[in-house]
Amino acid sequence: MGIQEQYRKEAAELLSSGEVKLVIGYGEGSTAERRRPVFVRSAEYVSRLVLDGSCVANLSSYLVPEGLLSDGKKVAVFLKPDGIRSINILAAESQLDPEQVVILGFDIEGGQAAPLPGRKASDFTALIGSLKSAGLSPELQKDADRLEQMSASERFGYWKEQFSKCIKCYACRQVCPMCYCRRCIVDVNQPQWINTSSHTLGNFEWNIIRAFHLAGRCVSCGGCDRSCPVNIPLRLINHRMAKEALDTFGHYAGESAEQQPVLATFRQEDPETFIL
Amino acid sequence: MSEPFEPKIVAFVCTYCTYAGADLAGTSRMKYASNVRIVRLPCTGRISPMFILKALQKGADGVLVSGCHPGDCHFAQGNYHARRRWTVFRALLAFTGIPEERIKFSWISAAEGAKFTELINGITGQIRTLGPFEQYQELQKVIETQSTY
């Protein structure tokens, strides 16, 4: 039995036993390689679920909408390790109760989906610990290093070119499981912190502030990169912020549901070499 | 171009330490560069990175953020939280190419009027050598000339 049949069967069992009220998974998309989220509420529809190497999106963002979990019932969701980290962060930030999330865990190895044992976010602590010791993505770090070798004005030029493409569609915000604010700072107009028309300066501010708000929270699922219609390397900035949190404060986002958010805590001996 | 460049510097300070330090500099009749515009806030923990970006956007050539020394915060922890935030924010600015040398952070207590004077004079001198922050100001000019609001 392949992994897809195995997980369809598990989803059907969860739904027919009444353990979960909803299964969030992947279904056929508009092209052969694309997957779109599928919401299954009854065991008879589990055949719509697809699980293969193309299932890359982080579905944890579908758990945050208001009211979904307020009835106390459980929801099952297909998650890769990055999605499980997102669940831990959302739990640490009091956005959901991890007990209400049943995880159908899998990982993609060599283009194929492989099952991960465990049902609750806490079952994956050891796995996430091994990811932390393996470190952040070396490919992204290579790109970051290339940028950091430039002079500041060259870097500014690079990002100016990238951000000048931004059309402020906010797809990056909508896809991100960490962007759950009911009123985003960019929508606040009294005072208007960020220019909403898509000129380069306003784009700079928007993307800088979003990166700042994701510092120490981004799990590098790559949703922003994939959803950006003009291909701004958003993940690269978020990677640089994750590196700062890891190198300076030893913080790896989403290690457990009890982990304090990096900017909501401090140590007296935090470095302060830059302060005059 | 006959007039020499005078930088605009915005200082975000906490009311319990650095603002009192600036006050001490004033009552002690110490002179410091008049390029600095002080914005008083309850605590450094209240200073959002948005403030810094907004100051630069609206034409500041440099920004100073200053508060109580660690352990002296009126709210006990505000400056510790702020310090973490600045560490991350500085990395972000560096990575996006916004010159770090235009954004300064310091601890100045209510008793350090002399340190405040020296710091303001020092920063004003440095920013004067750096020149105006044209990278951002050019982008702002584009907005002002092209849009109607």
Side-chain angles (χ1 to χ4, degrees):
Chain A
M1 191 162 63
I3 179 173
Q4 179 170 297
E5 283 69 42
Q6 183 194 332
Y7 274 58
R8 276 182 186 173
K9 203 173 141 228
E10 278 188 46
E13 279 163 16
L14 285 168
L15 283 165
S16 50
S17 68
E19 192 183 341
V20 303
K21 62 166 180 175
L22 170 70
V23 173
I24 306 176
Y26 304 90
E28 299 277 346
S30 49
T31 66
E33 323 75 66
R34 286 190 178 191
R35 297 290 169 259
R36 64 169 53 144
V38 162
F39 301 83
V40 182
R41 287 177 192 273
S42 155
E44 59 188 297
Y45 296 117
V46 292
S47 58
R48 290 176 60 198
L49 292 168
V50 174
L51 187 58
D52 58 20
S54 304
C55 298
V56 285
N58 182 351
L59 297 183
S60 60
S61 42
Y62 293 98
L63 292 170
V64 209
E66 211 182 323
L68 177 67
L69 296 170
S70 54
D71 57 3
K73 290 182 184 156
K74 290 186 179 180
V75 169
V77 55
F78 284 72
L79 291 173
K80 287 193 294 143
D82 51 9
I84 300 166
R85 287 169 63 199
S86 302
I87 298 291
N88 281 333
I89 301 170
L90 291 169
E93 294 176 359
S94 307
Q95 297 303 309
L96 53 76
D97 176 2
E99 296 298 318
Q100 271 181 273
V101 183
V102 177
I103 296 171
L104 296 167
F106 69 99
D107 203 355
I108 292 174
E109 285 155 14
Q112 296 292 319
L116 287 179
R119 273 289 167 86
K120 287 192 295 184
S122 53
D123 298 340
F124 298 90
T125 311
L127 170 77
I128 295 170
S130 67
L131 289 174
K132 181 183 182 180
S133 35
L136 303 170
S137 155
E139 294 94 58
L140 286 171
Q141 188 51 41
K142 218 185 279 169
D143 289 347
D145 286 342
R146 192 174 49 80
L147 270 181
E148 281 179 339
Q149 277 157 12
M150 297 178 180
S151 71
S153 59
E154 280 171 339
R155 259 199 313 274
F156 189 85
Y158 172 82
W159 287 113
K160 192 167 116 179
E161 199 189 317
Q162 293 294 339
F163 293 149
S164 67
K165 300 188 290 187
C166 176
I167 54 171
K168 288 241 179 82
C169 64
Y170 305 129
C172 48
R173 178 185 74 182
Q174 297 312 115
V175 78
C176 185
M178 293 300 115
C179 276
Y180 53 71
C181 289
R182 265 196 263 173
R183 198 162 182 216
C184 177
I185 185 149
V186 77
D187 297 328
V188 173
N189 53 8
Q190 285 286 345
Q192 181 131 44
W193 289 113
I194 299 167
N195 285 301
T196 45
S197 56
S198 61
H199 47 63
T200 308
L201 186 63
N203 294 348
F204 239 102
E205 287 171 341
W206 160 242
N207 287 292
I208 285 178
I209 282 304
R210 210 184 90 85
F212 184 72
H213 287 178
L214 289 180
R217 302 169 71 228
C218 175
V219 296
S220 207
C221 69
C224 44
D225 255 23
R226 285 191 297 272
S227 64
C228 183
V230 291
N231 296 323
I232 300 171
L234 294 165
R235 196 181 179 181
L236 186 57
I237 303 190
N238 295 331
H239 164 83
R240 180 64 188 81
M241 293 290 93
K243 183 171 177 286
E244 189 66 26
L246 187 61
D247 291 355
T248 316
F249 307 118
H251 181 98
Y252 185 72
E255 274 189 84
S256 75
E258 290 77 40
Q259 186 188 35
Q260 283 282 320
V262 68
L263 293 184
T265 179
F266 66 87
R267 278 196 304 265
Q268 291 203 346
E269 64 276 14
D270 279 341
E272 56 166 48
T273 46
F274 61 92
I275 297 176
L276 301 169
Chain B
M1 291 301 283
S2 55
E3 277 184 32
F5 166 64
E6 282 300 334
K8 281 185 198 151
I9 296 167
V10 179
F12 295 104
V13 302
C14 88
T15 181
Y16 292 96
C17 293
T18 306
Y19 193 82
D23 221 15
L24 179 67
T27 48
S28 320
R29 300 279 182 272
M30 291 186 230
K31 281 215 157 169
Y32 58 85
S34 56
N35 304 60
V36 67
R37 279 88 166 146
I38 293 180
V39 180
R40 178 167 69 153
L41 291 148
C43 179
T44 40
R46 174 66 186 89
I47 298 168
S48 158
M50 286 302 331
F51 297 179
I52 301 173
L53 287 179
K54 201 73 179 172
L56 294 174
Q57 184 208 335
K58 291 291 175 197
D61 302 299
V63 173
L64 168 70
V65 183
S66 183
C68 310
H69 286 271
D72 286 351
C73 180
H74 180 79
F75 305 98
Q77 304 177 335
N79 54 358
Y80 286 119
H81 284 292
R83 186 173 64 183
R84 273 210 167 186
R85 215 180 282 165
W86 300 341
T87 307
V88 171
F89 189 59
R90 260 172 58 92
L92 180 56
L93 290 179
F95 194 62
T96 45
I98 295 171
E100 287 164 89
E101 56 270 24
R102 294 186 184 272
I103 297 152
K104 303 279 185 190
F105 300 90
S106 71
W107 304 134
I108 295 173
S109 80
E112 292 176 323
K115 181 179 173 185
F116 182 81
T117 313
E118 271 169 41
L119 191 75
I120 295 296
N121 288 336
I123 290 176
T124 309
Q126 280 174 32
I127 308 266
R128 192 177 279 132
T129 6
L130 286 173
F133 188 22
E134 276 164 351
Q135 286 173 318
Y136 238 59
Q137 285 157 13
E138 264 170 35
L139 295 174
Q140 176 67 14
K141 246 179 248 160
V142 172
I143 301 172
E144 282 162 6
T145 49
Q146 288 187 352
S147 63
T148 47
Y149 57 80

